[in-house]
Each structure stands twice: as C-alpha cells, then as structure tokens.
Amino acid sequence: MDGLKVSQLGARAGVSADTVRYYDRLGLLPATERSESGYRLYDERAVARLRQIRQAQAMGLRLSQIAELMRTLDGGECPCEETVEAMSERRAEIDAEIARLTALRDQLDAAIAAGETGECCDPCEDECVPEVLRPRKEVNP
Amino acid sequence: MDGLKVSQLGARAGVSADTVRYYDRLGLLPATERSESGYRLYDERAVARLRQIRQAQAMGLRLSQIAELMRTLDGGECPCEETVEAMSERRAEIDAEIARLTALRDQLDAAIAAGETGECCDPCEDECVPEVLRPRKEVNP
DNA sequence: CTTGACCTTGGAGTCGACTCCAAGGTCTAC
DNA sequence: GTAGACCTTGGAGTCGACTCCAAGGTCAAG
Ligand SMILES: [Zn+2]
Ligand SMILES: [Zn+2]
Ligand SMILES: [Zn+2]
Ligand SMILES: [Zn+2]
C-alpha cells in the first residue's frame, strides 16, 4: 500500500515504467522492496535517486558511468572526485565528436555550394556523377 | 580469371572483403557477375563505384541515401539534384547534433569547473551527492 | 464475477555500418 | 593429394538507451 509502483515512480521523474524497470535491471536504483505479490515498491529516496540519474544523464554521462557513481555512493563513499573524472572523460569524447562533425559540416557546406552553382555533371567524364562525389583516385595501403 | 574478387576489389578502395559483400547485399554495387564457381567478379567500373561510395560516405551521407543515388544513376538519370538534396538533409541533421553536443559540452565545462573548485559535497543535504548531480525538483507532466 | 488497469518476467527489436562466425566449396602450389 | 588461402551463404554480435512484446498474475471498482 505504501510505496510507489514503477509507473508512479516514473511519473515523478518524467520517465516511463519500462525505463524504471530498465534502470532497476542495471542496478541504478536502490535495492528494491517488493510487495507480497512481487510489485516493486519505491520510496522518496528512490524518487530523489531517479531524478539524480536523469540529472547525470542530462550532463551527458552514460548509464555505465552513472552506475559506477551509484555504487560508490551506496558504498558510503563520496562520489565527488569520481564524478568530475567521469565528466571530464565524457567531455573529451564529446569534444572529439564535435570536431569530427564540424569538419564534416564544413565539407558538406562547400560541396553543397559547389553543387548548387555548378552545371549538371559538367563536365561529364565516363559516367554522370556530381563533381563532389567523383571517385577519388588511388587508395594505397 | 579476369575480374577482381571481393578482397581484391576491396583492396583497391581500402575496404575489407566483408564490407564489399555488405555493400553488395545492400545493392550499392553494380549487378554482380559470377564465375562458374560462384565467385563475385568485378571490373574497373566497380572499382570506380566503390570509391564513389566511399567518397559519398566521407561527405557524411548514409548508405541508404547513397543507395538511392546509385539507383538513380543506374536508371540512367542524373543524380546531381538529388545529391545536393541528400547532402542538405544530412547537413541539417549534423548541424542539430553539433548544437546538441555543444550545449552539452558547455554544461559539462561549467559543472567540471564547479566540481573542481567546490568543497567535497559541501554543503551536504541528506546524502552525499556532488552539487552538479543533485536531483532537480519537480518534473510536471 | 468480470472488466480493465496495472504489475511481473525474459527476451527481442530499434538505429547504422559494419564485423565475425561456421560450414562448406574452390583453387593453386608443392 | 593435401595444405592453405581464398570464396560462398545466412545469420548473429557490436555499441547505447531504451521500447515493446507475450503470457501470466494482481487488484479495485461496478
Ligand atoms: Zn552529367
Ligand atoms: Zn548531373
Ligand atoms: Zn558530501
Ligand atoms: Zn563529496
């Protein structure tokens, strides 16, 4: 009777019941109490934790990293240092991805500009293929 | 005897035999000739096409988009307009992703800076949780 | 007592571009 | 003739964070 069921807990943090069960499977939520009939029953501490997980996700952390932080926390230790570490790690990954995508975008911009101003496939060689997609010559291994 | 086998074709464009077979499955390569014993045999046109596919990929296009362009090409039509369209589509997606990641990175930077200068979990409320990961209040649906 | 809304479980499907596998066939060289 | 390097096929596995499923159990209202 007392205690939130999966979809009630989910609603308190804006996630689906499925997602709550998924996090539970991954061990992100505190050890679950169960009703006689087997229903998961959560308390306010679980609400706080679920929101904390979502907050960590919004900061770009992966569930695997969050799981580690939760383990530290449940072990009674302070997760501060580990959190900064995890965030720095993710920052580096995200930065690399931004760099990759930015270079790609610039290439695309140039190609789109060239494609819009150029004649259709002019000058044609062999096959009709837009300049920007012409096969590049050798790839030496 | 004449004609390149999968790994030979792959080598000419810097991809694995598996990748060549994969592209073949997706219909990206020209209709395959086969030797008596069932081996795929490719010619120079296939080399050009495989390089063209890789070029298109380097421009950020997806294999599904490239497949469409190839269909147009094989239908004897000019793929120029479609190519610009495909590139514009991808540019928009990539741009959105860059925006998302950039915002995330900025948030992370701020959080990392706050985490490095702050006292460990100070001030603590209820549980020891770094400031940047404290559960945010209500999520109203 | 039945309807309907919830809950349980394990497992599969999604997206993209591969990569790797096993079981079997082929080809060249020694 | 036999080793070894290639080829064939269909299918499964990878990464991440879900989402959806079927088959069955539970519970409150009418
Ligand atoms: Zn042309
Ligand atoms: Zn054209
Ligand atoms: Zn603390
Ligand atoms: Zn701390």
Side-chain angles (χ1 to χ4, degrees):
Chain A
M1 252 357 177
D2 56 331
L4 301 150
K5 282 173 275 180
V6 278
S7 60
Q8 292 170 323
L9 172 61
R12 294 283 299 276
V15 307
S16 73
D18 266 331
T19 300
V20 171
R21 278 187 288 259
Y22 177 60
Y23 289 172
D24 190 31
R25 266 191 250 196
L26 295 186
L28 291 167
L29 295 173
T32 324
E33 299 218 19
R34 297 294 184 121
S35 75
E36 278 179 34
S37 51
Y39 289 17
R40 290 171 184 81
L41 294 178
Y42 297 102
D43 58 14
E44 287 302 321
R45 291 204 343 282
V47 175
R49 165 153 298 197
L50 181 51
R51 287 191 184 142
Q52 191 190 335
I53 291 166
R54 291 256 113 190
Q55 177 60 25
Q57 265 194 308
M59 299 302 300
L61 299 190
R62 321 198 141 171
L63 293 183
S64 58
Q65 296 179 304
I66 297 171
E68 254 192 274
L69 297 178
M70 294 305 156
R71 260 174 262 131
T72 299
L73 208 49
D74 289 342
E77 287 182 70
C78 156
C80 283
E81 200 181 331
E82 211 177 324
T83 301
V84 171
E85 229 174 278
M87 291 194 295
S88 303
E89 209 177 296
R90 278 300 283 151
R91 206 219 103 110
E93 290 174 12
I94 289 165
D95 215 30
E97 186 64 4
I98 290 173
R100 197 181 68 82
L101 292 180
T102 302
L104 200 52
R105 184 188 56 183
D106 293 349
Q107 266 196 303
L108 267 176
D109 280 347
I112 291 167
E116 276 174 346
T117 60
E119 300 288 309
C120 171
C121 293
D122 196 64
C124 275
E125 290 164 23
D126 280 332
E127 304 221 354
C128 178
V129 173
E131 167 61 23
V132 293
L133 295 187
R134 294 271 162 75
R136 295 309 181 247
K137 294 297 171 204
E138 288 309 323
V139 176
N140 291 334
Chain B
M1 256 348 180
D2 56 330
L4 300 150
K5 283 175 273 181
V6 278
S7 60
Q8 292 170 323
L9 172 61
R12 294 284 299 274
V15 307
S16 72
D18 265 332
T19 300
V20 171
R21 278 188 288 258
Y22 177 59
Y23 290 172
D24 190 30
R25 266 192 249 196
L26 295 185
L28 292 167
L29 294 173
T32 325
E33 297 218 20
R34 298 294 184 120
S35 74
E36 277 180 35
S37 51
Y39 289 17
R40 291 172 184 80
L41 294 179
Y42 295 102
D43 58 14
E44 288 301 320
R45 291 203 345 280
V47 175
R49 165 153 297 197
L50 181 51
R51 287 192 183 142
Q52 191 190 335
I53 291 167
R54 292 255 111 191
Q55 176 60 26
Q57 264 195 307
M59 298 301 301
L61 299 190
R62 323 198 138 170
L63 293 183
S64 58
Q65 295 179 306
I66 297 171
E68 254 193 273
L69 297 179
M70 293 307 156
R71 259 175 263 128
T72 299
L73 208 48
D74 288 343
E77 286 183 71
C78 156
C80 284
E81 201 180 331
E82 211 177 325
T83 300
V84 172
E85 231 174 276
M87 292 194 294
S88 303
E89 210 177 295
R90 277 301 281 152
R91 206 218 102 109
E93 290 173 13
I94 288 165
D95 214 30
E97 187 65 4
I98 289 172
R100 197 180 70 81
L101 292 179
T102 302
L104 200 52
R105 185 189 55 185
D106 293 349
Q107 265 194 303
L108 266 176
D109 280 346
I112 290 167
E116 277 176 346
T117 61
E119 300 290 310
C120 172
C121 292
D122 193 65
C124 273
E125 290 165 21
D126 281 330
E127 305 222 353
C128 178
V129 174
E131 166 62 23
V132 293
L133 296 188
R134 295 269 162 75
R136 294 310 182 247
K137 294 297 170 205
E138 290 306 325
V139 177
N140 291 334

